């Protein structure tokens, strides 16, 4: 008996010590309160706006139109004029091989060239032009020469016009039109990325709201289990329940504590998923703030016009728009390849004007006649000859070429046609798939609207069932197992 009292006193002392230690820890905790965790209150509209401004994937996609703009500029560069120039010096000494060589011991000729040119293709009808201005100055000891030093200048103009192949469309115009289509596709890709990001942000936002609400439900379930465990322990103390029956209630409390821990982890995971969507690379410090949704999930039934929804999807779906623009780009390539199988017939016109100047010798009688004087003709007179077209040259030409047999252009055209037919069939298949998806989604909306009403009724019935089971348990008409089962059903109905 004395040992029992001694044990009771020891237990009381231990409880007192534990109470003092707990009180002391609480006092210390009260004296040094933990710093409040930073939080960011966020509505779904704010989340979408942040994502449109900072989302890393969107920043990548927004660079695509700029890259395509460079592609368009590169295609236009095919018509940029090209300037050429040549400066060359030449000194030649040759032995006289006849009395007409113009010298007794050796013939010396020196020449300096100063040539300039401008060439370019034109963006109309595949035409091109070339302008050349060639200048030279030469000296010679050839006794038959009439000028030494001699200056000359020649202006040459060339214009070439395809008449069949490359007339309606050529490689440069094909590349430009395709690059413009690619630019339009990049705009569609940006719209698709914006829509996809907006959808993902909204889903992540409501997933976070669900995770927070789910934690509340799990805590309510834990409170119910703890209350049942407390009541069962009281019944054991007064002898109306066997101690073995508490084990089931304790196991249920442990399971629901685990569910609370899992729900808390789900909140952290949902927050990270939302942060990854709305924060960019320069917002790393904002990851420490806890996200607090300010919008509550509300339900408003919506009547779905199925035909209008299907038509809107066929008109506005970005994947269909991309496929359509890709087919349009293929049509451009087909037009180009169809043009390439035509004969290559080109018309060209050349014009030249020449002037000559320098020191012109005046000769006496005889052959070649002695030099009795000279007349200086300056370079301005040479340019005057060109401007006045004193010595014009005209040339007109038609050039035709056509391969015999099956050319590579024929094979490329046949392949492009088959690929375009394949793309058209894929587009039609995509339209059928989109219509099916819209119809299925419309049915899901209608079904879920009905399920919301059903689950609300189920939750109310689960609460009444739990209340009834608890009353029956208090009256001894049921067991603890059915009470715990009613609590689980209520937890599921609330979720």
């Amino acid at each position: 008996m004395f040992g029992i009292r001694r044990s009771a006193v020891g237990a009381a002392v231990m409880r007192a010590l534990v109470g003092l230690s707990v009180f002391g820890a609480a006092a210390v905790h009260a004296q040094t309160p933990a710093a409040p965790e930073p939080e960011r209150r966020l509505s779904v509209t704010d989340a979408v706006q942040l994502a449109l401004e900072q989302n890393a994937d969107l920043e990548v996609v927004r660079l695509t139109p700029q890259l395509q703009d460079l592609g368009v500029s590169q295609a236009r560069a095919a018509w940029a004029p090209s300037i050429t120039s040549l400066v060359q010096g030449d000194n030649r000494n040759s032995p006289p091989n006849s009395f007409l060589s113009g010298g007794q011991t050796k013939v010396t000729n020196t020449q300096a060239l100063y040539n300039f040119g401008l060439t370019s293709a034109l963006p109309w009808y595949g035409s091109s032009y070339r302008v050349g201005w060639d200048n030279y100055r030469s000296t010679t000891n050839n006794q038959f020469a009439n000028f030494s030093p001699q200056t000359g200048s020649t202006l040459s103009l060339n214009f070439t016009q395809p008449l069949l192949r490359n007339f309606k469309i050529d490689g440069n115009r094909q590349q430009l039109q395709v690059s413009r289509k690619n630019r339009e596709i990049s705009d569609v890709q940006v719209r698709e990325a914006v829509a996809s990001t907006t959808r993902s942000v909204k889903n992540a936002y409501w997933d976070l709201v669900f995770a927070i609400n789910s934690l509340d439900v799990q805590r309510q379930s834990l409170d119910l289990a703890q209350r049942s465990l407390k009541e069962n322990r009281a019944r054991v103390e007064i002898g109306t329940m066997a101690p073995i029956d508490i084990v089931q209630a304790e196991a249920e409390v442990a399971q629901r504590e685990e569910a609370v821990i899992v729900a808390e982890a789900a909140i952290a995971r949902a927050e990270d998923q939302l942060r990854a969507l709305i924060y960019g690379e320069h917002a790393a410090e904002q990851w420490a703030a806890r996200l607090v949704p300010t919008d509550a999930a509300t339900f408003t039934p919506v009547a779905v016009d199925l035909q209008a929804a299907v038509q809107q999807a066929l008109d506005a779906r970005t994947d269909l728009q991309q496929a359509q623009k890709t087919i349009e780009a293929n049509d451009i390539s087909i037009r180009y390849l169809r043009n390439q199988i035509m004969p290559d017939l080109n018309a060209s016109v050349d014009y030249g004007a020449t002037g000559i100047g320098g020191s012109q010798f005046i000769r006496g009688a005889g052959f070649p006649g002695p030099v009795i004087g000279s007349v200086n003709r300056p370079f301005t007179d040479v340019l005057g000859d060109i401007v006045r077209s004193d010595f014009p040259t005209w040339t007109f030409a038609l050039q035709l070429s056509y391969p015999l047999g099956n050319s590579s252009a024929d094979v490329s055209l046949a392949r492009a046609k088959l690929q375009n037919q394949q793309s058209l069939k894929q587009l039609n298949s995509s339209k059928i798939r989109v219509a099916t998806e819209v119809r299925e989604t419309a049915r899901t909306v209608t079904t879920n609207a009905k399920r919301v009403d059903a689950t609300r009724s189920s939750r109310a019935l689960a609460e009444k069932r739990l209340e009834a089971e608890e009353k029956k348990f208090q009256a001894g008409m049921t067991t603890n197992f059915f009470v715990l089962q009613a609590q689980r059903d209520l937890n599921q109905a609330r979720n």
Side-chain angles (χ1 to χ4, degrees):
M1 185 66 177
F2 177 75
I4 295 175
R5 289 182 179 177
R6 190 172 173 182
S7 299
V9 173
V13 172
M14 289 299 296
R15 285 195 297 270
L17 291 176
V18 172
L20 288 175
S21 63
V22 173
F23 176 76
V28 172
H29 183 71
Q31 291 174 1
T32 58
E37 183 181 4
E39 64 179 34
R40 170 132 190 207
R41 300 179 65 81
L42 199 67
S43 67
V44 64
T45 303
D46 296 335
V48 171
Q49 186 63 33
L50 284 173
L52 295 181
E53 295 173 356
Q54 303 183 23
N55 183 268
D57 293 334
L58 275 183
E59 291 180 356
V60 174
V61 176
R62 286 193 175 106
L63 293 177
T64 305
Q66 300 179 32
L67 293 174
Q68 295 300 332
D69 286 337
L70 294 177
V72 174
S73 300
Q74 184 178 9
R76 287 176 175 169
W79 296 293
S82 177
I83 298 177
T84 61
S85 64
L86 172 65
V87 178
Q88 178 179 324
D90 188 17
N91 189 341
R92 296 184 181 182
N93 294 298
S94 58
N97 55 8
S98 71
F99 73 96
L100 296 176
S101 297
Q104 296 298 325
T105 59
K106 67 177 178 180
V107 178
T108 300
N109 294 293
T110 62
Q111 187 178 48
L113 300 178
Y114 308 93
N115 300 338
F116 305 93
L118 179 67
T119 61
S120 177
L122 295 175
W124 307 285
Y125 308 109
S127 56
S128 62
Y129 69 89
R130 179 177 56 82
V131 179
W133 184 31
D134 300 336
N135 305 277
Y136 69 91
R137 184 182 186 278
S138 64
T139 61
T140 183
N141 64 352
N142 191 326
Q143 60 183 351
F144 296 114
N146 285 333
F147 289 87
S148 184
Q150 177 178 321
T151 59
S153 183
T154 301
L155 177 66
S156 60
L157 303 176
N158 171 267
F159 179 80
T160 302
Q161 175 62 61
L163 300 179
L164 295 176
R165 185 189 300 176
N166 297 326
F167 179 75
K168 292 184 177 180
I169 185 172
D170 58 1
N172 295 334
R173 282 176 285 173
Q174 183 248 356
Q175 290 296 325
L176 177 61
Q177 294 176 22
V178 170
S179 62
R180 285 173 174 171
K181 284 298 176 183
N182 292 334
R183 177 62 172 83
E184 295 175 3
I185 292 175
S186 68
D187 288 336
V188 177
Q189 291 174 343
V190 171
R191 294 202 307 270
E192 181 181 22
V194 169
S196 177
T197 301
T198 301
R199 181 175 62 253
S200 298
V201 169
K202 290 182 178 181
N203 289 339
Y205 185 91
W206 295 119
D207 286 344
L208 177 58
V209 172
F210 170 78
I212 294 173
N213 292 336
S214 180
L215 176 61
D216 292 338
V217 171
Q218 300 302 334
R219 285 174 175 170
Q220 292 173 12
S221 179
L222 177 60
D223 291 340
L224 288 175
Q226 290 174 341
R227 188 185 68 183
S228 297
L229 177 60
K230 182 179 179 181
E231 293 175 354
N232 290 345
R233 284 176 175 171
R235 291 185 177 91
V236 170
E237 290 179 359
I238 64 176
T240 60
M241 177 180 286
I244 193 64
D245 293 334
I246 299 179
V247 176
Q248 186 178 14
E250 290 176 342
E252 192 70 23
V253 169
Q255 292 179 359
R256 297 186 188 181
E257 286 177 346
E258 179 190 7
V260 170
I261 295 172
V262 172
E264 290 174 345
I267 291 177
R269 184 165 53 253
E271 283 184 320
D272 283 346
Q273 291 176 352
L274 183 57
R275 290 189 186 103
L277 290 170
I278 65 176
Y279 292 149
E281 59 177 345
H282 303 298
E285 68 282 355
Q286 301 182 20
W287 279 67
R290 185 169 59 90
L291 298 181
V292 180
T294 59
D295 290 341
T298 58
F299 174 73
T300 304
V302 177
V304 179
D305 187 347
L306 185 57
Q307 296 300 326
V310 171
Q311 187 61 45
Q312 182 180 1
L314 295 177
D315 294 338
R317 280 280 293 257
T318 53
D319 54 345
L320 298 182
Q321 292 178 359
Q322 290 185 58
Q324 181 62 45
K325 291 187 177 297
T326 301
I327 292 175
E328 294 174 2
N330 293 339
D331 290 336
I332 295 173
S333 298
I334 289 175
R335 283 197 297 115
Y336 168 70
L337 293 173
R338 185 178 290 116
N339 179 265
Q340 291 302 297
I341 64 176
M342 301 180 69
D344 189 11
L345 178 62
N346 296 324
S348 62
V349 177
D350 290 272
Y351 165 78
T354 303
I356 191 172
S359 296
Q360 183 176 9
F361 298 136
I362 300 176
R363 297 182 180 273
F367 178 81
V371 177
I372 60 176
S374 64
V375 177
N376 186 34
R377 198 163 189 270
F379 191 69
T380 54
D381 292 345
V382 176
L383 296 179
D385 292 341
I386 294 175
V387 173
R388 293 188 301 271
S389 188
D390 291 339
F391 307 100
T393 301
W394 291 92
T395 303
F396 176 77
L398 283 175
Q399 184 178 5
L400 174 66
S401 65
Y402 187 74
L404 297 177
N406 196 15
S407 65
S408 61
D410 295 319
V411 178
S412 299
L413 177 60
R415 181 186 296 110
K417 287 181 177 180
L418 287 176
Q419 291 175 345
N420 198 44
Q421 290 179 6
Q422 187 180 41
S423 298
L424 287 171
K425 293 183 181 299
Q426 289 176 349
L427 177 59
N428 294 331
S429 177
S430 298
K431 289 181 178 180
I432 296 174
R433 174 180 53 81
V434 167
T436 304
E437 290 176 355
V438 172
R439 294 174 66 87
E440 178 61 26
T441 304
R443 282 192 294 267
T444 302
V445 170
T446 304
T447 301
N448 287 343
K450 297 177 181 179
R451 290 179 60 194
V452 168
D453 294 333
T455 52
R456 285 174 177 171
S457 301
S458 177
R459 181 184 61 185
L461 293 174
E463 291 174 350
K464 293 180 180 180
R465 177 170 175 260
L466 175 60
E467 182 180 356
E469 290 294 339
E470 288 177 342
K471 290 180 179 179
K472 290 166 63 177
F473 181 72
Q474 292 173 1
M477 300 175 62
T478 187
T479 63
N480 187 45
F481 171 79
F482 292 103
V483 175
L484 296 178
Q485 184 63 44
Q487 291 178 359
R488 296 192 197 102
D489 294 341
L490 177 58
N491 180 43
Q492 182 177 0
R494 283 174 173 170
N495 265 327

